Amino acid sequence: MISLLKSSRGQLVLVDTGFDSGASMTGRRFDDFVRSDVLLERFGVDPRKIETLVLTHMHFDHAGNLRGFPNARIYVQRYEYESWKRVIEEFGEQTSKSHWAFSSLNVADFHALEAAARDGRVVFLDGDAAVAEGVTCRLAKDTHTFGSQWLEVATPDGAYVIAGDCCYTYENLERMWPPGYMQGNAWNMLREFRRMKDVAGDDLRRLVPGHDIALFDRHPGGRREETRFIEVHLAKGGASFLE
């Protein structure tokens, strides 16, 4: 899943880039896959005009297709980058998803980030940091991954949470029950759940979890060229994608 934010000044912020090829952990290709830059074009958004790109973490379904956004400044936690770099140095450049350490990381995506860093397009964050008007990254250290982060987004109707994989589903926060797959610590995840609930509210009306089909039931949505989407919050006077 990717999320597109637009500030009151018109600044576009993209959260995650999705897959590069649509291949899953098992190698099976997901049905009806659409690359993220192509998806934005369907909504009239030129991917070359994305200037701010936040990666919640480096897993293949969130950090692929960096090439689709050649002009974006990429924000990622330094701890996430440096930790995965140590994994690659320790275990080698595995391509097989049968190796647990690389079950959710495509090394090619990591190298693409390093190439962007050499070009001066990567900002390594050291903890919580504002990255755009009303948009703050929150470090969730050693939870889903080493340096996963979620976003707090200010709106006139209260702050929203874009959780990435710091929260898979609404049920995770409703039950305070961490998901089964993580590469960090479940107790750290519970602490982040509390932080997210403090922002999103007990009813989770202002929460966008990373992998929950229930999003399509809780928010207005539609289809664009057979791709489903939702509109979580629309600023007063803003142009809706639903129209």
Side-chain angles (χ1 to χ4, degrees), residues 19-197:
F19 299 95
D20 184 48
S21 66
S24 70
M25 292 170 66
T26 64
R28 176 186 175 276
R29 187 176 172 85
F30 285 94
D31 295 334
D32 303 319
F33 168 70
V34 181
R35 213 173 59 227
S36 51
D37 54 326
V38 175
L39 182 62
L40 290 188
E41 288 174 341
R42 292 182 177 183
F43 289 86
V45 178
D46 186 346
R48 294 169 297 181
K49 293 185 178 179
I50 298 295
E51 297 180 354
T52 303
L53 169 58
V54 177
L55 296 180
T56 58
H57 60 297
M58 286 301 300
H59 280 175
F60 69 96
D61 56 332
H62 292 259
N65 192 36
L66 293 183
R67 61 190 170 91
F69 305 93
N71 300 317
R73 185 171 296 277
I74 304 166
Y75 292 83
V76 65
Q77 290 289 334
R78 186 186 308 275
Y79 184 59
E80 177 80 350
Y81 165 74
E82 290 181 346
S83 298
W84 280 116
K85 186 173 183 177
R86 286 194 296 271
V87 168
I88 293 170
E89 290 171 350
E90 181 175 356
F91 293 102
E93 297 198 5
Q94 298 282 335
T95 58
S96 171
K97 294 302 177 189
S98 62
H99 192 300
W100 181 83
F102 297 94
S103 58
S104 295
L105 178 81
N106 286 342
V107 176
D109 296 337
F110 186 86
H111 289 329
L113 179 69
E114 290 193 307
R118 289 193 295 270
D119 292 339
R121 294 200 299 116
V122 178
V123 177
F124 292 110
L125 303 177
D126 294 302
D128 294 356
V131 296
E133 178 189 4
V135 180
T136 303
C137 290
R138 303 294 187 191
L139 172 62
K141 189 175 182 180
D142 291 320
T143 56
H144 180 65
T145 62
F146 305 102
S148 286
Q149 59 184 344
W150 54 275
L151 283 77
E152 180 176 339
V153 182
T155 81
D157 301 313
Y160 280 69
V161 170
I162 298 178
D165 283 1
C166 294
C167 170
Y168 273 27
T169 68
Y170 289 106
E171 186 177 15
N172 292 142
L173 262 67
E174 290 166 346
R175 296 183 62 197
M176 293 298 285
W177 195 286
Y181 182 83
M182 66 175 67
Q183 294 168 316
N185 185 298
W187 299 107
N188 292 337
M189 185 75 88
L190 285 173
R191 296 182 185 101
E192 289 304 316
F193 284 178
R194 287 200 297 265
R195 282 218 298 172
M196 285 186 276
K197 287 184 76 171

